[in-house]
Amino acid sequence: MRKWILLLTKIIMVGLAGFSLYLLLLSHASARVDDTHQMVKTIIHRVVKKSENPELKTAVKIVEGSGMENFLLATLPKKYQVGFSYADVYQLTTNYEEHGKVTAKELHLKSNNRLEYVAMQFLVKEINHQLHKEADQVYHVISVYRFSIFVIILLYILAVIQFILGRYAASISLLIGCFGSFGGLWYFCQEATKSLQNQVYSGIKVTLNPGIWWGLILGTIAGISWLIVLKFLKNKKDVTQDA
């Protein structure tokens, strides 16, 4: 009976660990803007101010003077939200290293009309400008990010192997991987929010979606439950031997 309980527990723990890793790597964090109109105005004016193209500056002044600006902005959605996962960011960093820039498609920025397309191009241009400005730090962050993904996956694989072997240490590996992954995502969201607010628009906020929290919860449940079950089976074995 004890062997069957242990076998069933191993299967459940491996399943929970795998699902936890899946949720942590593929669930989305979200970048949200509650006032898209103001963000677009802020970014366009900043880009125009930095631009040395007199025609661009003149065009913007004409639009503002004619009262068309608010009319055009009204065609944009008031709020905007875009999601990205660990895997998405990994692909984004890979493309950035290869091409030295990011694109609207890689940032999951979609446009439904010409104005949205122009606004997104301004936004991407501003983001690329800031990335080039902090190039050394950006490449350092990319290296740390990739290394962290490798370590997290390795810890989960180690935990699964230890579950199969019936080792107490499986809980340690799983909990470190679980909290490390969640902590990395949480830190990334905080830093991304701070950076985007300082360099792009103050109304941008990056938050964790429920799937990431569930990844943390399932990993924690699996890690703690494993210790409880092993302790229970050990005590049951000791009682049987004493009898």
Side-chain angles (χ1 to χ4, degrees):
M1 183 65 177
R2 179 180 175 277
K3 290 183 179 180
W4 284 106
I5 294 176
L6 182 58
L7 177 61
L8 180 60
T9 302
K10 287 180 180 180
I11 295 173
I12 294 174
M13 294 301 109
V14 169
L16 286 175
F19 196 39
S20 170
L21 180 61
Y22 172 83
L23 289 173
L24 287 169
L25 291 184
L26 297 180
S27 293
H28 286 76
S30 294
R32 189 180 74 251
V33 181
D34 291 330
D35 191 346
T36 310
H37 299 176
Q38 186 58 45
M39 182 190 74
V40 171
K41 290 171 67 174
T42 300
I43 293 172
I44 291 178
H45 289 174
R46 185 188 303 143
V47 173
V48 170
K49 184 178 179 180
K50 294 178 181 178
S51 174
E52 297 180 357
N53 186 341
E55 295 180 357
L56 177 61
K57 294 183 178 182
T58 301
V60 172
K61 287 182 180 180
I62 291 174
V63 171
E64 290 176 340
S66 66
M68 288 291 292
E69 183 181 32
N70 291 331
F71 173 76
L72 293 173
L73 288 173
T75 64
L76 295 172
K78 184 65 175 177
K79 296 183 179 182
Y80 193 85
Q81 181 169 310
V82 59
F84 54 89
S85 66
Y86 245 131
D88 292 330
V89 176
Y90 182 86
Q91 185 61 45
L92 178 65
T93 58
T94 300
N95 291 337
Y96 179 76
E97 280 193 318
E98 291 179 357
H99 305 293
K101 65 178 182 179
V102 297
T103 65
K105 181 179 180 181
E106 292 165 353
L107 292 172
H108 293 183
L109 298 176
K110 299 178 180 179
S111 54
N112 297 315
N113 54 52
R114 184 63 182 174
L115 180 59
E116 285 189 31
Y117 173 79
V118 172
M120 293 311 168
Q121 292 305 310
F122 273 117
L123 176 58
V124 171
K125 182 176 181 179
E126 183 66 11
I127 290 174
N128 279 316
H129 172 74
Q130 295 298 335
L131 289 174
H132 289 310
K133 187 176 177 180
E134 304 291 340
D136 292 340
Q137 183 178 353
V138 169
Y139 283 111
H140 174 70
V141 171
I142 288 174
S143 298
V144 173
Y145 175 80
R146 289 189 176 173
F147 179 73
S148 68
I149 290 182
F150 172 77
V151 172
I152 289 167
I153 293 176
L154 185 62
L155 284 168
Y156 268 84
I157 292 174
L158 181 60
V160 167
I161 293 173
Q162 290 172 326
F163 278 135
I164 294 172
L165 296 177
R167 305 284 175 79
Y168 280 98
S171 291
I172 298 175
S173 300
L174 180 59
L175 291 174
I176 292 176
C178 172
F179 278 91
S181 177
F182 178 85
L185 283 168
W186 182 85
Y187 177 77
F188 171 78
C189 287
Q190 298 303 309
E191 290 301 306
T193 296
K194 186 188 303 182
S195 179
L196 290 170
Q197 287 180 347
N198 290 337
Q199 300 174 5
V200 180
Y201 174 63
S202 60
I204 299 177
K205 187 173 183 180
V206 183
T207 57
L208 297 174
N209 286 1
I212 296 173
W213 287 94
W214 276 110
L216 173 67
I217 292 170
L218 291 179
T220 303
I221 290 174
I224 295 175
S225 299
W226 177 248
L227 293 176
I228 294 174
V229 170
L230 286 187
K231 184 67 175 176
F232 169 77
L233 293 177
K234 183 177 183 301
N235 291 338
K236 186 174 182 179
K237 180 180 179 180
D238 291 341
V239 170
T240 303
Q241 289 178 345
D242 292 341

